[in-house]
Amino acid sequence: MLENNIKKLIENLKNNLSTISNLDEMDGLWKKYFGNKGSIKLILKEIKDLSSENKKIIAPLIQQHYKNALDLFKNRENLLKTDKLCKNLESQSEDLDYFTPKIGHLHPISRTIREMNNLFVSMGFSIMDGPEIEKDEYCFQRLNVPLDHPARDMQDTIYIKEPDYLLRTQTSSIEARTLANYKPPFKIVSPGRVYRNETVNKSNHFIFHHYQGLVVVEKTSLKDLFGTFNVLFQKMYGQDVVVRYRNKYYPEVEPGVGPDMQCFNCHGKGCSLCKGVGWIEMGGAGIVHPNVMKKAGIDTKKWMGFAFGLGLDRWVMAKYKITDIRTLLGGNLGYKYYENENII
Ligand SMILES: [Zn+2]
């Protein structure tokens, strides 16, 4: 008797499942059949009223029918979920949350890149990308560093195939590619991984990150560059951040400057992180050298620009009070991070 009843209910369930078209309706169906007062669940509860002889025979059969009914339900539910996922992907909707575990957080490097990207996009910049295995031409020659230039000694390059292919030592290569392929005016930023043959220690790594910026317009000056830096420093570290600028030499700019930020670890007193000077170099910048523009076929009488390259890892370390660069690429992920930052 019980077995016939459950078989009938399973037939009804099959009919109901075939007409259902969304996950909300599945909830109702679950309550109807499998909830505490659901009809299939009630049959399970009736097993206990059977005589012990009948129980031995009937109970396993009912359990098997119950399992089959559950499988029918779950299969239909999975189909509807996949269907919803496909529709969301097709519509470019970002509502894919129901398969995402709610644990963990983005790596501090990713968070910092996204935070900077958001700021620069709000100021009208576009985000550009470029290859990590780069040609010598884009990493050096187009940036005013010919083959025999002494500036090459400043960077210990890792070559893939000498002399033409290397792992980029700086994201200025994206600057060179942008200048070669786009007509001014433009404002771009490009975050990326860079490589140099450095000994790994507390403040150096052979893999690190740059954040490049390039603005090419009809008229600009160092004032615009400093203004951009001031907005960036204050956004990242607050209004009280202490920054100084120094003259610097980089072949791709003239004049060249570099921002230093007061050391976050010792607040200017001097410590091992800032090598006793109280300041941390945060990047290099300057007015784009006319040779760089000319190599890209850009008329220097009409256009001029400024460029900057930030040592992104240092920005991340200062933001998250990380005192050893190796932490960023290591396995210990116990960083401090700001729960309330709304960065996605
Ligand atoms: Zn210090």
Side-chain angles (χ1 to χ4, degrees), residues 60-84:
L61 291 173
I62 300 292
Q63 288 288 359
Q64 186 56 46
H65 285 304
Y66 178 74
K67 191 179 167 305
N68 293 345
L70 265 183
D71 286 347
L72 281 172
F73 185 91
K74 290 287 171 194
N75 287 343
R76 182 74 185 129
E77 188 179 51
N78 285 339
L79 270 177
L80 288 172
K81 275 185 181 172
T82 312
D83 210 37
K84 186 176 175 189

Side-chain angles (χ1 to χ4, degrees), residues 16 33 40 59 101 128 151 153 166 168 170 176 214 281 328:
N16 287 163
Y33 289 100
I40 293 183
M128 300 291 282
D153 299 338
L166 47 85
R168 68 180 176 201
Q170 51 191 0
L214 171 68
E281 273 187 82
L328 291 173

Side-chain angles (χ1 to χ4, degrees), residues 263-276 278-280:
C263 176
F264 64 89
N265 196 38
C266 64
H267 303 288
K269 291 190 189 84
C271 68
S272 64
L273 186 72
C274 58
K275 301 190 177 82
W279 296 91
I280 298 178

Side-chain angles (χ1 to χ4, degrees), residues 199-263:
T199 308
V200 176
N201 58 34
K202 212 174 167 180
S203 34
N204 294 298
H205 206 293
F206 70 98
I207 301 173
F208 51 108
H209 300 79
H210 271 180
Y211 195 93
Q212 187 74 24
L214 171 68
V215 171
V216 178
V217 287
E218 288 186 11
K219 198 164 175 50
T220 188
S221 72
L222 284 181
K223 250 165 61 178
D224 295 329
L225 171 63
F226 292 151
T228 309
F229 270 139
N230 287 345
V231 171
L232 177 64
F233 273 105
Q234 285 177 7
K235 163 79 180 165
M236 298 301 287
Y237 303 112
Q239 297 289 323
D240 300 330
V241 64
V242 184
V243 181
R244 71 176 186 188
Y245 294 95
R246 286 186 295 140
N247 288 330
K248 293 273 191 74
Y249 168 72
Y250 303 102
E252 64 262 47
V253 290
E254 178 58 43
V257 294
D260 298 342
M261 188 170 75
Q262 197 176 71
C263 176

